[in-house]
Amino acid sequence: MSVSKPLVTQRPKILAVDDNPANLLVIRRVLAKLDVDVVEAASGNDALKATLDDEFALVLLDVYMPDINGFEVAEILSQEESTRQTPIIFVTATYADDVHRLKGYGFGAVDYMAKPLEATILMSKVQVFLELYRHRMALRDALGELSERNRQLEIEVEQRRQMEQEMRHLAMHDMLTGLPNRVLFMDRLESAQRRAERNNGKFALVYVDVDHFKEVNDTWGHGAGDALLVELAERLRGSLRENDTVARLGGDEFALVLEELDDIADAHRLLERVMGTLQQPMCYQRRDGEQINLAIAASIGVASYPSDGTEVDALLHAADQAMYRIKRGRISQE
């Protein structure tokens, strides 16, 4: 898992704001003993600009400045999302009374220091806020790592869900044609039988067996045979309604479940549409560039619920027998 470099390894920054260079010099010399970077600003405007570029562990803010005073700077910082949590220590020789202290606290000040600055007091107060800052950054880093890990887990869960979905699809569908396989077909057939029994409805089970399929493989190769099966699957699927099922049972055998029929004549009308699409030959291009036309011919057997059986096994047997009667008839004619 890749995460960003923890912020706690970076040197904390302290913003010192004062229009008197001598005061900034005192702050810089005292804080030189600490592992911090001191950014200096000589005015309120400069201080606000500095906060746009850097994140500060602490702001040492002079109250009395000619352009924007410290109270106004603190008020602006308290209104910005990126700086409202930044602690501010007011540094003043002018506003030391309780009224101004309360005003400063209202704008986000956490402490006051009087001028001239006492090095020991300044060092002590800064160290406290640096420690708080380091703890806060460590917590933020931990939360960031946790958020990143949660994101990775969400990705892993989604990938696993997709993989499981693909595995279920592969387990229930034919790899060559993408049609439901025998397992899913039996589930659809049993569901159709239960619905028809419950609603006193009708449906048809149809077996489709490709004629002379072995000759196609023997003559033109298995590539041509696979292309023929894929084309047949697409034509069967395109000829029927959305609520009908088209499945490949294996080899050159297909099966259809035609639901919500008013009578068996509805099934025959649908099969006439299917036969119309099968009468058109398939154009197949071999690897050597030669194009050949393959005729698609199939023997089709139909069994209807409930006239040919009310149980799944009976319907399967009836459709199978009907299909083989057609196939035997064609063989005898040839």
Side-chain angles (χ1 to χ4, degrees), residues 53-278:
D53 299 325
D54 292 302
E55 178 182 21
F56 295 99
L58 176 66
V59 178
L60 300 173
L61 181 59
D62 185 20
V63 174
Y64 182 75
M65 291 179 291
D67 55 350
I68 304 177
N69 65 42
F71 294 137
E72 293 171 323
V73 172
E75 182 179 16
I76 294 172
L77 294 180
S78 69
Q79 295 173 353
E80 296 295 326
E81 180 67 28
S82 60
T83 55
R84 66 179 52 173
Q85 300 298 325
T86 304
I88 298 172
I89 296 180
F90 278 127
V91 181
T92 180
T94 305
Y95 300 120
D97 57 274
D98 291 340
V99 173
H100 285 93
R101 286 178 181 272
L102 290 174
K103 183 179 180 181
Y105 291 139
F107 289 137
V110 295
D111 205 349
Y112 266 82
M113 290 188 64
K115 295 180 181 179
L117 293 172
E118 166 57 45
T120 302
I121 296 176
L122 175 60
M123 179 72 76
S124 175
K125 290 181 181 292
V126 168
Q127 285 177 326
V128 169
F129 287 103
L130 284 177
E131 187 66 20
L132 290 174
Y133 175 77
R134 291 189 176 96
H135 283 302
R136 189 167 73 249
M137 292 302 98
L139 176 60
R140 188 168 73 180
D141 287 347
L143 291 176
E145 291 181 6
L146 179 60
S147 177
E148 175 64 18
R149 182 53 185 159
N150 285 339
R151 189 183 70 84
Q152 293 290 340
L153 286 174
E154 289 175 358
I155 293 175
E156 292 173 10
V157 169
E158 178 61 20
Q159 289 175 340
R160 177 167 295 184
R161 187 193 65 80
Q162 292 179 359
M163 185 179 301
E164 291 175 351
Q165 185 176 1
E166 291 174 1
M167 293 295 292
R168 286 195 297 270
H169 181 84
L170 291 175
M172 305 292 279
H173 290 79
D174 174 55
M175 293 187 63
L176 177 64
T177 64
L179 293 178
N181 61 14
R182 185 181 293 273
V183 175
L184 183 54
F185 164 73
M186 290 301 300
D187 181 74
R188 298 269 184 90
L189 178 60
E190 291 169 358
S191 297
Q193 187 272 336
R194 288 193 296 269
R195 280 192 294 270
E197 184 178 45
R198 184 170 58 251
N199 301 323
N200 196 27
K202 296 180 175 63
F203 73 92
L205 168 62
V206 182
Y207 269 1
V208 179
D209 187 86
V210 180
D211 294 334
H212 308 300
F213 181 69
K214 185 176 183 301
E215 295 178 10
V216 173
N217 280 333
D218 292 344
T219 303
W220 303 109
H222 289 283
D226 288 348
L228 180 65
L229 294 175
V230 171
E231 179 68 18
L232 177 58
E234 293 179 355
R235 293 188 187 184
L236 289 173
R237 189 159 38 196
S239 301
L240 301 179
R241 305 163 301 176
E242 289 187 2
N243 62 323
D244 296 323
T245 294
V246 182
R248 183 189 178 201
L249 303 185
D252 58 357
E253 295 182 356
F254 294 79
L256 319 176
V257 179
L258 311 178
E259 298 195 60
E260 299 179 9
L261 304 176
D262 292 330
D263 52 45
I264 191 61
D266 287 346
H268 287 296
R269 282 190 289 270
L270 287 171
L271 291 177
E272 287 176 4
R273 186 191 308 171
V274 170
M275 294 301 294
T277 64
L278 298 186

Side-chain angles (χ1 to χ4, degrees), residues 27 43 124 154 300 311 316:
I27 294 173
S43 68
S124 175
E154 289 175 358
I300 297 177
E311 300 298 327
L316 290 170

